[in-house]
Amino acid sequence: MAVIVWITEGTWRAAVAAARTHVPDGTDVVLLHVSEADVTEAAHGAFAHLLGRGRPERDPGTRMERAAAASAGELLAAAAGHLGRPCSRAARAGVPEREVVAAAEGADLLVVARDGDRTRLGPRSLAPATRFVVDHAPCPLLLVWPSPPPAASTLPPAPPEPGLIPEELGRADAAEPPSHRGNEEDGNEEDSNQEDNEKDPGR
């Protein structure tokens, strides 16, 4: 059995705690961290555009890559210590949600922590990248709250029952029939003529 635990800066403790609680001892656990490559690629591109390809030691993108790798290593080390059992570590760079889905292929379980709105239940408790992973994970997924979950009272109001919503036909039936409207208009016209005759008896 192989379990992937997605390690992110804000929610790694909850994901690791869930793995420690729900994953049996002896399981192959992989702690996965993904650094976004967009920022470093933009830095590489800006440096090359301004100063060309010479003097790569001055490329800020390279320094950013090293800093990201060091930060990922420290985070993975902290997560491994929190797990308290043998595990392996994997550090990737790229689009985080796609890298996580790719890494989870063939796994028996993927552990993910919610990272959106923690004040109410619902889809907003997932940030877009995590939503993508939940929707596209190629294996079973354990989704956990990084803090005590909100109460059920935070659910939005239930929609009205379908039977209480008038359909087009129902609205047409509920409307006043055209024949009634016609009779009412005729009656109004007769009343108007009668008033005119009373005002002018010679007509």
Side-chain angles (χ1 to χ4, degrees):
M1 182 177 182
V3 175
I4 306 293
V5 183
W6 186 14
I7 302 300
T8 62
E9 281 74 6
T11 61
W12 67 268
R13 291 181 181 274
V16 171
R20 193 175 58 222
T21 300
H22 299 288
V23 176
D25 291 336
T27 302
D28 292 332
V29 177
V30 179
L31 305 179
L32 172 67
H33 180 272
V34 182
S35 300
E36 294 190 24
D38 293 348
V39 177
T40 56
E41 290 176 357
H44 282 310
F47 178 80
H49 178 72
L50 292 174
L51 301 176
R53 297 293 179 180
R55 307 191 68 176
E57 69 279 1
R58 300 182 59 184
D59 186 345
T62 301
R63 294 196 297 271
M64 293 175 66
E65 286 176 348
R66 292 171 181 168
S71 176
E74 293 173 359
L75 193 61
L76 288 171
H82 194 61
L83 182 63
R85 68 172 72 169
C87 64
S88 57
R89 311 172 196 178
R92 294 190 178 204
V95 180
E97 58 268 33
R98 294 187 175 274
E99 292 293 330
V100 172
V101 170
E105 186 174 8
D108 297 291
L109 182 68
L110 172 63
V111 182
V112 177
R114 296 178 185 269
D115 57 350
D117 184 0
R118 304 181 189 181
T119 63
R120 65 187 63 197
L121 300 173
R124 292 186 179 180
S125 64
L126 298 174
T130 308
R131 176 83 261 175
F132 182 94
V133 171
V134 170
D135 289 341
H136 297 85
C139 65
L141 185 142
L142 174 59
L143 182 62
V144 299
W145 287 88
S147 56
S153 59
T154 62
L155 284 170
E161 298 180 11
L164 300 179
I165 302 177
E167 302 294 341
E168 292 296 330
L169 181 59
R171 287 195 292 268
D173 292 342
E176 186 178 3
S179 58
H180 291 178
R181 292 197 298 271
N183 293 339
E184 182 178 328
E185 292 171 357
D186 293 340
N188 292 339
E189 184 176 355
E190 292 176 2
D191 292 342
S192 177
N193 292 338
Q194 183 177 356
E195 292 176 358
D196 292 342
N197 291 336
E198 291 176 353
K199 293 178 181 178
D200 186 5
R203 289 182 60 185

